[in-house]
Amino acid sequence: MIEKMDRWQLEHKVAQIVQTLLGSKEVSTETTLLGQHGILDSVTAVALIVQLEETFEMSFGDEDLTMDNLSSVGDIVSFLKKITS
């Protein structure tokens, strides 16, 4: 599924997932999701990972659950593109 989507489509879909989890808050590709200034708490972060796995029919390994891969919509999209190329 990811292979058939361009970057914009992936960004839009990931942003939609985050917005749904947050109750429709605006999210850009640069919005900080995780960390000290992130908009997601730990429970919502886990829900995001589960939703990404279900939506994109993939699975995160323990080594994939890093701030570099998950700290923003843009980082998530870059990670998804990397694992499918």
Side-chain angles (χ1 to χ4, degrees):
M1 174 182 194
I2 297 170
E3 303 86 13
K4 297 178 183 178
M5 300 175 84
D6 65 24
R7 186 168 183 90
W8 183 88
Q9 290 171 315
L10 272 175
E11 287 173 355
H12 181 72
K13 187 63 181 172
V14 172
Q16 271 186 321
I17 291 168
V18 174
Q19 289 169 343
T20 299
L21 290 171
L22 293 175
S24 213
K25 184 175 183 174
E26 280 296 313
V27 176
S28 76
T29 57
E30 300 304 317
T31 302
T32 302
L33 302 178
L34 301 175
Q36 186 175 14
H37 301 288
I39 61 173
L40 301 180
D41 61 22
S42 58
V43 172
T44 310
V46 171
L48 171 63
I49 292 164
V50 169
Q51 191 63 45
L52 290 169
E53 288 179 332
E54 290 175 0
T55 300
F56 297 114
E57 299 174 350
M58 47 85 66
S59 182
F60 284 92
D62 290 342
E63 68 279 0
D64 301 326
L65 300 174
T66 67
M67 292 293 285
D68 287 342
N69 292 339
L70 300 168
S71 64
S72 71
V73 170
D75 291 336
I76 293 169
V77 170
S78 293
F79 170 73
L80 292 173
K81 292 299 265 181
K82 181 176 74 174
I83 64 169
T84 59
S85 59

